[in-house]
Structure formats: structure tokens, C-alpha cells
Amino acid sequence: ELAHAPSMLVVLRVDADIAMQRLERRAEKRDNSIFERGDFQAKIAERYRDPRLLDEFRSRGTRIVEINSGQTPDKVIEDAIAAVRPLL
């Protein structure tokens, strides 16, 4: 149960394959944690696409903004700032 719904939920969308490619490029951290496994990335992506999760927030008045985080980091930041700017 969601006791206190936020005004906005920003969901960063990234394909599990892209997430894995990014993880593989990281030289500073390689510990084979669950977060570094492709099957886990796919499962998390599926969970955040589940309409029941998003509807839980929407039904309480939360505005949901989805950002394609498969873009360049600068573009993701630009999109995130544009999304939250009206709340500031």
C-alpha cells in the first residue's frame, strides 16, 4: 500500500541489453552482484513496465514521466530537468 504518493514519479527506461552493455564497460566495479546480471536487468525492466505498479501511483494522483535512458547521459539529464522543472 502506498501511504504517501509523490507528486511525480520519474521512470528511467532502458533496454536490459543496453544496461548490460553499460555495466560491462565499467572497469571500476565488477563484483558479479545480482544487479550486474542480464536476467535481473530484464526482470526489473519488466516490473517497472507493469501497469499495476504505475496504476498504483496514478490512482493517487502521481504524474508519471517516462524517460528513455538509452539516450546519451546529457540528453537524459536534459529530459529529467525538463520533467521536474514545473515542480520547482
Side-chain angles (χ1 to χ4, degrees), residues 51-70:
R52 293 173 296 181
L53 173 70
L54 300 178
D55 288 346
E56 179 77 17
F57 285 94
R58 283 188 187 106
S59 71
R60 289 170 171 72
T62 298
R63 178 175 171 229
I64 298 178
V65 176
E66 298 182 36
I67 296 175
N68 173 7
S69 60

Side-chain angles (χ1 to χ4, degrees), residues 23 26-37:
L23 284 169
R26 290 174 39 193
E28 74 279 359
K29 182 180 179 294
R30 292 214 182 255
D31 59 10
N32 295 319
S33 75
I34 190 169
F35 303 104
E36 296 176 350
R37 294 186 1 219

